[in-house]
Amino acid sequence: MSELVTGDAVVLGLRPAKLPSRALALSIDLVVVGTAFVLVSVGLAVATSGLDAAAFAAVSVATFLLVLVGAPIAVETLSHGRSLGKLACGLRVVRDDGGPIRFRHALVRGAMGVVEILMTLGVVASVASLVSARGRRLGDVFAGTLVVRERLPAGRSASVPPPPPWLVGRFAGLDLSAVPDELWLAVRQYLTRMHQLDADVGRAMAGRLAGELAGWTGVPAPVGVPAAAYLAAVVNERQARDAHRMFAASRSSSGGPGGPGGPGGTGTGWPMGAPGPAGGGSGSGASVGKGPWGSGAVPGAPGVPAAPAAPAAPAAPAAGEDPAPPAATGFAPPA
């Protein structure tokens, strides 16, 4: 199923609606409009009972045009493409470029709907929607519109791709506190859709975002590293810091092992064996030294065995004192 792409090769993430969802939305709209038409017709029939046949026919035609044709056009224009049925099914009518529709778009769709929906009982609209690759009926083709789905399943949401393994942890010393949330959102949206963009457009967008990110961090992007890989590595570093901060806060508040109130706690709020804010470990006394673009572990850090401590030598007796008796070993001296 293809997504909506603008003329600049930008994927909007809007998926065209197919025939089943459109038919359900149209059925809801027809029930509402048909009920309103019957009520208005009965009221006008009672109010115009004294008119002749010609006047009654004129009133009937005007009622048909106003209720069955004019009302849907007015609703789509005022709601920017969301009728009651489309609102219930999570659909919307948009232009071919993804923008909101206007009165002329709704007018063409409504006029063509009289022919392909009302006069043919929806047969022409169904055939046209099945033949079209994006599920468009004739009214959409002539008006330059498209019915898209606004609500997508949660499982279809794209995730940020991981960075290359050789870049993981390389930006551990980068200061990310000054980067605004708007830039993080733009970088995340690019990373989730970079494989759907045109190659030249994607490279230009990645270079622009990498330049903005380097300007906020104060450290230029390393030479030779692709802009997309640089963005992925920095986003991965930010996510790792957020996860570490949340984990430390949860351990600190729960009072579990390693927390300030739990057994074995260090009183600092950092998990045992994890490096503290300044790089020092709070539980094992080890530290992990981190440079601007890399990290190196020292003995005693998690995963690095520490050298065993040598036993302390016994102290020599002072002058005039008897030497201390030998420690009991469990064996009797020879006779």
Side-chain angles (χ1 to χ4, degrees):
M1 183 180 296
S2 61
E3 294 182 340
L4 189 60
V5 183
T6 65
D8 297 330
V10 178
V11 181
L12 298 180
L14 302 177
R15 298 183 180 273
K18 291 302 184 179
L19 181 60
S21 57
R22 295 192 60 176
L24 179 59
L26 180 60
S27 301
I28 297 175
D29 292 336
L30 289 179
V31 170
V32 175
V33 174
T35 303
F37 177 73
V38 171
L39 295 178
V40 173
S41 300
V42 171
L44 290 178
V46 174
T48 61
S49 58
L51 299 179
D52 54 0
F56 182 77
V59 172
S60 300
V61 173
T63 304
F64 173 82
L65 293 177
L66 289 176
V67 178
L68 294 182
V69 181
I73 294 175
V75 170
E76 284 194 354
T77 303
L78 297 176
S79 63
H80 299 289
R82 300 187 72 184
S83 61
L84 184 60
K86 293 182 178 62
L87 180 63
C89 297
L91 308 181
R92 181 190 289 270
V93 183
V94 297
R95 301 196 306 261
D96 284 338
D97 58 354
I101 65 171
R102 298 182 179 179
F103 173 73
R104 60 186 180 89
H105 303 96
L107 179 61
V108 174
R109 295 186 77 256
M112 292 299 301
V114 175
V115 178
E116 60 178 335
I117 295 178
L118 297 180
M119 293 185 177
T120 61
L121 300 179
V123 175
V124 176
S126 300
V127 173
S129 181
L130 289 174
V131 172
S132 175
R134 296 192 291 178
R136 306 204 304 176
R137 61 179 179 90
L138 296 180
D140 295 317
V141 175
F142 284 103
T145 58
L146 177 68
V147 181
V148 298
R149 293 189 297 165
E150 288 189 316
R151 295 197 297 263
L152 297 177
R156 293 181 179 269
S157 58
S159 58
V160 177
W166 53 276
L167 283 179
V168 175
R170 184 172 179 180
F171 305 104
L174 211 59
D175 183 12
L176 306 177
S177 58
V179 181
D181 294 337
E182 293 78 8
L183 183 56
W184 286 122
L185 179 60
V187 172
R188 180 181 177 86
Q189 290 178 347
Y190 164 75
L191 291 175
T192 55
R193 299 178 180 178
M194 62 179 180
H195 298 296
Q196 303 170 353
L197 300 176
D198 181 75
D200 297 333
V201 175
R203 283 192 294 267
M205 188 177 299
R208 179 178 60 84
L209 292 175
E212 294 182 7
L213 188 59
W216 282 102
T217 58
V219 179
V223 181
V225 177
Y230 167 72
L231 294 175
V234 175
V235 170
N236 180 75
E237 176 63 27
R238 180 176 185 264
Q239 293 176 346
R241 294 183 186 182
D242 292 342
H244 184 77
R245 190 182 304 111
M246 294 177 59
F247 177 75
S250 62
R251 294 289 294 269
S252 175
S253 60
S254 62
T266 59
T268 61
W270 291 82
M272 294 185 64
S282 60
S284 62
S287 62
V288 179
K290 296 184 178 180
W293 304 113
S295 61
V298 299
V304 180
E321 294 184 358
D322 296 333
T329 60
F331 294 93

